[in-house]
Amino acid sequence: MELVTLDDIRAAADRIRGVAVRTPLVRMGPPDMEGVWVKPESLQPIGAFKIRGAYNAVASLRPGGVVTHSSGNHGQALAYAAKEFGVPCVVVVPEGAPQVKVAAIEGWGAEIVIVPPEKREAVAEEVARERGLTLVPPYDHPAVIAGQGTVGVEIVEDLPDVETVLVPVGGGGLASGVGAAVKALRPEARVIGVEPELAADAAESLAAGHPVEWGPARTFRTIADGLRTGLSDLTFAHISRWIDGIVTVSEDEIRAAMGRLARSARLVAEPSGAVTTAALMSGRVPAGRTVAVLSGGNVDPELLRQVI
C-alpha cells in the first residue's frame, strides 16, 4: 500500500495556504507542564484541523460536488471547502452527533442527511452514486491525510528539537499525516496517539497487527464524538509505520483536561481535542519537549460549562 510522503504534504501546504490558519504553539506552563506546548487547531475557520484535509482534497480533485459522512468537524470542513469552490455538498450525519456541530454544517450551506451511526458510510456511498457526487471520506483518502500532515510540518518548523508529539486518534487521518511528516523531518521524535478508553480500537488494532472494528455500540459511549470511528486499512498502514505507541484516557481525564485547557491555556477544547492534554496530565507520556495537538474546539456550551 502506497503511503503519503513528505512531498505530498508539502504540496498540500501550498494548496491550503491562506485558507487554513498556521496555528501557533502555546505554552502550557508550570508547575506540571514545563516543556509542553499545545497546537490549537481550534483556531481554524471551522474550529478544527479538518479544514486542512478537506480543502486539500477539494482543491486537488476539483469535483463537481461532494458528499461525506461525519459526526461534525469533517462535515463542516468539507462544506466550507465546497462553498469556496462553488460546488454542492451533502453530509451524512450519524444520529447522536452534537447539535452544535450539525448546526455549523448547515451554516456552511451543506445538505444534511441524518442516519443511524452504523449506516453512515453506506448511505454516503449511495448518495455519491445516485447524485454523481465525489465521496471525500473523513480520513480514508491520501489527499485528506496529506492535508492533515501539514500540522506535523508546522510543529517541527516551530519547535525543531521537539521530542514527543501527541495526536488524537479516531479514524486515523490526523495521526497518519502528522506521523508521516514528523518522522520524515525529525526521525528521532516520538509520535504517540491518544484515544479514549471507551473507543480504544486503535490500540487493539496495533496489538493485533490488523484493524479491529469496535462498532458504534461500543465507541458511542465516549464523549469524544470525533474519535468514535475506527481505522481504515489505509490509516492503519500509516499508523503502523509511523506511530510509536497509543495511550488511552478515561472520560473523567478528558473532562479534567478540557477544564485545564480553558483555565490555564485559555483554550476551548472539545472532548476529542482534549485527549492529548489528558494523556499528559495522566503521567503516562514520556517527559521531554512535547507538543500536544488540540484537534478542535467545537464543544457543546453546556458541557464546557460543566468542565470549567
Side-chain angles (χ1 to χ4, degrees):
M1 184 176 296
E2 191 170 338
L3 303 186
V4 167
T5 67
L6 183 60
D7 286 342
D8 296 327
I9 295 169
R10 291 201 186 280
D14 289 337
R15 294 189 190 101
I16 69 174
R17 187 171 291 115
V19 177
V21 174
R22 195 187 196 289
T23 51
L25 295 183
V26 178
R27 280 188 179 272
M28 281 294 289
D32 58 333
M33 293 281 185
E34 198 69 45
V36 171
W37 289 260
V38 175
K39 187 165 178 63
E41 288 294 291
S42 51
L43 302 180
Q44 293 295 347
I46 56 91
F49 75 96
K50 292 284 191 176
I51 187 66
R52 298 172 182 265
Y55 194 90
N56 184 54
V58 176
S60 58
L61 298 173
R62 295 300 177 102
V66 292
V67 60
T68 194
H69 53 91
S70 168
S71 65
N73 286 339
H74 177 69
Q76 289 183 63
L78 192 63
Y80 179 99
K83 186 174 182 180
E84 288 288 302
F85 283 89
V87 299
C89 176
V90 179
V91 180
V92 179
V93 177
E95 295 170 349
Q99 186 55 41
V100 65
K101 294 185 178 181
V102 178
I105 294 171
E106 291 182 309
W108 289 113
E111 176 187 342
I112 298 287
V113 178
I114 299 177
V115 300
E118 66 275 10
K119 294 184 178 180
R120 59 188 172 182
E121 293 187 34
V123 171
E125 291 170 357
E126 181 181 347
V127 170
R129 287 193 302 270
E130 291 180 350
R131 304 196 195 182
L133 302 176
T134 298
L135 178 64
V136 181
Y139 49 88
D140 191 25
H141 194 288
V144 173
I145 292 173
Q148 320 306 27
T150 59
V151 171
V153 170
E154 291 174 12
I155 288 172
V156 179
E157 288 179 348
D158 290 350
L159 191 67
D161 57 350
V162 63
E163 295 176 273
T164 303
V165 177
L166 301 177
V167 58
V169 181
L174 179 60
S176 294
V178 170
V182 171
K183 290 295 188 179
L185 294 169
R186 184 165 166 77
E188 62 269 41
R190 295 177 295 262
V191 182
I192 297 177
V194 186
E195 62 183 349
E197 292 175 353
L198 297 183
D201 52 287
E204 186 173 336
S205 296
L206 287 183
H210 58 83
V212 175
E213 176 64 48
W214 275 35
R218 296 179 70 184
T219 61
F220 267 62
R221 298 172 298 164
T222 180
I223 59 171
D225 59 280
L227 305 181
R228 290 169 176 166
T229 50
L231 302 178
S232 67
D233 289 339
L234 181 62
T235 56
F236 176 78
H238 283 79
I239 287 174
S240 298
R241 176 75 178 272
W242 304 124
I243 300 299
D244 295 295
I246 302 282
V247 171
T248 61
V249 292
S250 71
E251 300 297 289
D252 286 344
E253 288 171 332
I254 294 171
R255 291 173 181 271
M258 292 172 65
R260 173 69 184 271
L261 285 162
R263 294 189 302 271
S264 299
R266 281 70 61 190
L267 293 171
V268 173
E270 61 187 85
S272 303
V275 296
T276 52
T277 299
L280 284 165
M281 292 170 61
S282 74
R284 293 192 289 274
V285 174
R289 296 170 69 80
T290 300
V291 174
V293 178
L294 193 171
S295 56
N298 295 315
V299 59
D300 178 79
E302 176 57 25
L303 175 58
L304 183 62
R305 185 193 67 80
Q306 292 174 12
V307 300
I308 292 178

